[in-house]
Amino acid sequence: MLKPKNPLHSEVIMTEMVLPNDTNTLNNLMGGRLLHWMDICAAISAQKHSNRIVVTASVDNVSFTEPIRLGNIVTMHAKVTRSFNSSMEVFLEVWAEDIPAGQRISTNRAFYTFVAVDQNGRPIEVPPLVAETEEEKELYVSALRRRQLRLVLAGRLKPSEATELKALFEVQ
């Protein structure tokens, strides 16, 4: 049995500046560039938790709520919310900051799933996660529902077997 870790062990804060090469013709950060940065930040978090090489298994819905402009500072904050056998869910938040204007806005949130692998690329066990704060506990509990939804959508779990999801819709 691997030694449990708390979410702070996997916390990553990554910062980038939006430069001209990162933007579209409207001088906004290209979505693909942001997704690239987000994947790196979340992968580092999963690697810190597992002490292993990790591969991206899935990314939940990413909505672009606010444009991120040329010259903005992009800050990404990631941490593992739950670990399973070889997989880990990572929650990531993104903010854009216009330093001269003194403005900071939330632009994106996403859940990533990573699988830890050995040197041959085969899944390997990861440490359990122990949630400590109320927010961490809430994310930990709801991670099982998100996992079941991902597995159902991927065709790897029958909807009838998704017990956590079914419980959401049971009428008392």
Side-chain angles (χ1 to χ4, degrees), residues 43-60:
I44 294 168
S45 176
Q47 234 178 11
K48 286 178 73 172
H49 180 81
S50 65
N51 290 351
R52 296 289 183 172
I53 296 166
V54 299
V55 294
T56 309
S58 72
V59 181
D60 288 8

Side-chain angles (χ1 to χ4, degrees), residues 142-163:
S142 59
L144 185 54
R145 289 190 296 272
R146 288 187 296 275
R147 180 176 193 253
Q148 286 186 355
L149 180 58
R150 288 181 204 111
L151 293 172
V152 168
L153 292 173
R156 296 179 53 213
L157 180 68
K158 294 177 184 174
S160 61
E161 296 171 352
T163 56

Side-chain angles (χ1 to χ4, degrees), residues 12-154:
V12 173
I13 298 173
M14 193 168 112
T15 305
E16 297 282 348
M17 177 182 266
V18 180
L19 299 172
N21 196 45
D22 302 320
T23 63
N24 60 26
T25 54
L26 297 174
N27 283 329
N28 293 328
L29 177 63
M30 288 185 286
R33 177 78 77 205
L34 178 61
L35 292 172
H36 174 77
W37 291 343
M38 290 170 70
D39 192 41
I40 290 170
C41 183
I44 294 168
S45 176
Q47 234 178 11
K48 286 178 73 172
H49 180 81
S50 65
N51 290 351
R52 296 289 183 172
I53 296 166
V54 299
V55 294
T56 309
S58 72
V59 181
D60 288 8
N61 180 45
V62 179
S63 297
F64 297 88
T65 58
E66 297 287 337
I68 300 174
R69 310 236 183 259
L70 176 64
N72 281 175
I73 304 303
V74 177
T75 303
M76 292 156 282
H77 181 239
K79 64 182 173 181
V80 173
T81 57
R82 188 161 181 170
S83 61
F84 296 94
N85 297 324
S86 60
S87 67
M88 297 151 282
E89 180 188 80
V90 176
F91 178 56
L92 186 128
E93 296 177 286
V94 179
W95 291 275
E97 186 173 7
D98 180 339
I99 292 175
Q103 296 176 332
R104 184 174 190 253
I105 57 169
S106 173
T107 62
N108 303 79
R109 298 170 65 161
F111 289 96
Y112 280 70
T113 303
F114 290 89
V115 175
V117 296
D118 64 17
Q119 303 309 67
N120 298 315
R122 285 181 286 225
I124 190 165
E125 184 182 9
V126 298
L129 184 107
V130 178
E132 295 175 341
T133 69
E134 286 307 311
E135 178 189 21
E136 291 169 356
K137 289 175 184 176
E138 185 178 314
L139 286 167
Y140 180 90
V141 169
S142 59
L144 185 54
R145 289 190 296 272
R146 288 187 296 275
R147 180 176 193 253
Q148 286 186 355
L149 180 58
R150 288 181 204 111
L151 293 172
V152 168
L153 292 173

